[in-house]
Amino acid sequence: MTSVPSTAPAPAPVKPPPAAERVYAHVKQAVLERHYEGGVLLTEGELAEAVGVSRTPVREALLRLEVEGLIRLYPKKGALVLPVSAQEIGDVVETRLLVEEHAVRKAVPAPPELLDRLAELLEQQRRQAETGDLAAVAATDRCFHATVVRAAGNQILERLYDQLRDRQLRMGVAVMHSHPDRIAKNITEHSEILRTLRTGDAEAAAEAVRRHVGSVRHLLRGEVR
């Protein structure tokens, strides 16, 4: 008997994201990583050419980014990348302190899986710092803190903290660009937070978080008007 070869259906081709989504992702990443810095005016034509789309999805993406507070649209002129204001810095740092100090206290006694994950992120941040990838360092920095917040087990606080993500990343990259020595200090301060969690001292852990997060306000206010 002659066997008939099976004809498995070919996998469906992966559809690229919609044009507006591609523009949105391109501009947002560039703003967060400071490729488009505060005060830069972006035009629809430039963005359409950069992403390879028409102007219609560019407008759609820019409207979405304006709602998120990253840009301001000016009819017939373009989109202004909004600088980080002193008010925003203060608001973000204040919110971070409220959430993170509470979370780190609740995380004590820290389970082994939390300590292992924080140690892994700390090592990852060291490797990224060696390559000079500031955006990656900022992302891992943020992940370190978010991991502690999740460990507190309060889903409402976790969602509130997630809303700060974009602002944290943007501010983190800004600090590292202006203060390259801050990268090593961040790693040292993360090590101290991890050490206090290992010892089970909730108040020492909260104090380590307070010093670490509070330093961001001082550095950024020295840079941003």
Side-chain angles (χ1 to χ4, degrees), residues 122-191:
L122 193 55
E123 183 55 36
Q124 180 176 314
Q125 198 173 23
R126 288 192 181 101
R127 292 195 302 269
Q128 291 164 339
E130 289 173 0
T131 66
D133 189 342
L134 300 188
V137 172
T140 303
D141 181 300
R142 198 266 170 193
C143 188
F144 182 96
H145 292 275
T147 298
V148 176
V149 172
R150 281 196 300 273
N154 185 320
Q155 294 184 1
I156 294 175
L157 278 183
E158 187 179 336
R159 286 195 293 271
L160 171 63
Y161 192 76
D162 283 344
Q163 292 174 16
L164 301 177
R165 177 184 177 277
D166 292 344
R167 290 180 170 88
Q168 281 181 255
L169 292 177
R170 192 179 183 197
M171 291 179 187
V173 174
V175 165
M176 292 173 201
H177 269 288
S178 299
H179 306 275
D181 62 316
R182 185 62 208 169
I183 300 173
K185 290 179 181 177
N186 269 4
I187 292 171
T188 299
E189 290 168 8
H190 283 180
S191 298

Side-chain angles (χ1 to χ4, degrees), residues 17-24 44-59 61:
E21 188 66 32
R22 298 204 306 275
V23 177
Y24 169 82
E44 289 182 3
E46 290 169 342
L47 294 175
E49 184 177 353
V51 183
V53 298
S54 68
R55 293 193 180 196
T56 300
V58 172
R59 294 188 195 105

Side-chain angles (χ1 to χ4, degrees), residues 9-113:
V14 178
K15 293 183 179 179
E21 188 66 32
R22 298 204 306 275
V23 177
Y24 169 82
H26 168 81
V27 177
K28 185 168 187 174
Q29 181 177 3
V31 170
L32 295 182
E33 296 182 2
R34 285 176 56 113
H35 299 307
Y36 296 153
E37 297 198 30
V40 169
L41 187 68
L42 308 173
T43 67
E44 289 182 3
E46 290 169 342
L47 294 175
E49 184 177 353
V51 183
V53 298
S54 68
R55 293 193 180 196
T56 300
V58 172
R59 294 188 195 105
E60 183 181 334
L62 292 179
L63 285 168
R64 185 175 167 189
L65 290 161
E66 184 176 43
V67 170
E68 294 183 9
L70 292 177
I71 65 167
R72 179 173 297 147
L73 292 175
Y74 290 92
K76 299 181 181 180
K77 291 184 179 179
L80 180 71
V81 179
L82 293 176
V84 180
S85 68
Q87 177 69 42
E88 183 179 1
I89 293 166
D91 291 349
V92 169
V93 171
E94 183 177 13
T95 305
R96 285 190 63 187
L97 286 172
L98 289 170
V99 174
E100 292 188 40
E101 286 186 49
H102 172 77
V104 81
R105 286 190 180 97
K106 284 198 71 178
V108 175
E113 55 269 25

